[in-house]
Amino acid sequence: MIKKLFQKFFYYLIKGTLVVVPLAGAIFLIVWLVATVDGALNITEHFLQDDQGEPLYIPGLGILSVIILLTLVGLIFTNLVTDPIRNWLGRTVNKIPLFNTLYSSIRDFTEAFVGDAKKFNEPVLVEFNDSGLKRIGFLTQRDLTALELENHVMVYFPYAYSVAGQIAVVSADRVRKLNISATDAMKLVVSGGVSGLEIKKEGKH
């Protein structure tokens, strides 16, 4: 009787852990990230004070300021900045050593996620050798003739439990498109292979 009670206790403990830990972890990370960014960008602390003379912090104002700023910049660059001005800015940035490398890399990486030509939206399976070793990645470049690599493509491989990854150039005939969404593929890789296939499994029943 006691043994069964302990078994039930641990069973429900594990079930509760599986429900609470992912939910609490996701909420904690989102709250921490938003609070950190909001605190770093909250401009009221620099010129407003409370009754005790301490810097006045208004929660949410930092994030709101960034959203408004980004929207205004997007509005201005879309409707007021002409192509000659954009080309001049591009040429100016390209002339600054180191900064141009960082800027272009961050710009291309950002555009890959939120730009018009998204890059990480085509999950593929790459076979690396004759032993059958395969890895899941995202096709980022189809034409590598500029590198004198015809019939080759460029694939990005995210690391598990990380925001980093690596780029590999592979023969095109070793790349096969996966019949899953980019979101599920990213979840599958970043989670170390334990998440991202739930939808496929449910669809088989």
Side-chain angles (χ1 to χ4, degrees):
M1 183 65 179
I2 296 179
K3 184 179 180 180
K4 288 185 177 180
L5 287 175
F6 272 107
Q7 288 178 341
K8 284 290 185 181
F9 171 77
F10 283 111
Y11 173 79
Y12 290 125
L13 175 62
I14 292 172
K15 287 294 184 180
T17 301
L18 292 175
V19 172
V20 174
V21 170
L23 183 62
I27 294 175
F28 172 80
L29 288 175
I30 292 174
V31 171
W32 174 81
L33 180 61
V34 171
T36 301
V37 174
D38 185 56
L41 300 175
N42 204 311
I43 59 177
T44 58
E45 294 183 331
H46 300 291
F47 57 86
L48 293 180
Q49 296 180 340
D50 57 18
D51 296 336
Q52 286 74 37
E54 297 293 330
L56 182 62
Y57 171 70
I58 301 178
L61 188 59
I63 297 293
L64 180 61
S65 301
V66 171
I67 293 175
I68 293 175
L69 176 63
L70 294 177
T71 303
L72 288 175
V73 171
L75 177 66
I76 293 172
F77 266 76
T78 301
N79 298 292
L80 300 180
V81 178
T82 61
D83 288 336
I85 296 178
R86 294 175 186 170
N87 294 334
W88 175 81
L89 287 174
R91 291 193 301 269
T92 303
V93 169
N94 289 331
K95 293 178 181 178
I96 305 175
L98 182 61
F99 180 79
N100 63 341
T101 302
L102 294 174
Y103 168 78
S104 60
S105 298
I106 295 173
R107 180 199 61 197
D108 293 343
F109 189 78
T110 304
E111 288 182 348
F113 282 102
V114 298
D116 294 331
K118 297 181 178 65
K119 294 293 184 181
F120 302 128
N121 62 350
E122 190 169 350
V124 294
L125 189 68
V126 180
E127 184 174 351
F128 273 86
N129 51 45
D130 295 334
S131 67
L133 176 65
K134 301 178 180 67
R135 292 187 63 182
I136 294 175
F138 294 86
L139 190 64
T140 56
Q141 295 288 346
R142 292 181 176 274
D143 186 3
L144 298 183
T145 53
L147 301 178
E148 298 182 356
L149 292 171
E150 295 182 1
N151 300 320
H152 282 70
V153 295
M154 191 169 289
V155 180
Y156 173 74
F157 297 100
Y159 290 141
Y161 299 101
S162 173
V163 295
Q166 65 177 178
I167 285 292
V169 176
V170 298
S171 178
D173 58 7
R174 290 185 175 269
V175 178
R176 178 164 60 90
K177 186 176 181 180
L178 284 174
N179 189 29
I180 60 175
S181 69
T183 301
D184 287 338
M186 185 67 78
K187 286 170 58 180
L188 183 63
V189 176
V190 174
S191 68
V194 300
S195 178
L197 294 180
E198 295 85 353
I199 296 178
K200 290 292 180 181
K201 290 178 180 179
E202 292 173 1
K204 293 182 179 180
H205 294 298

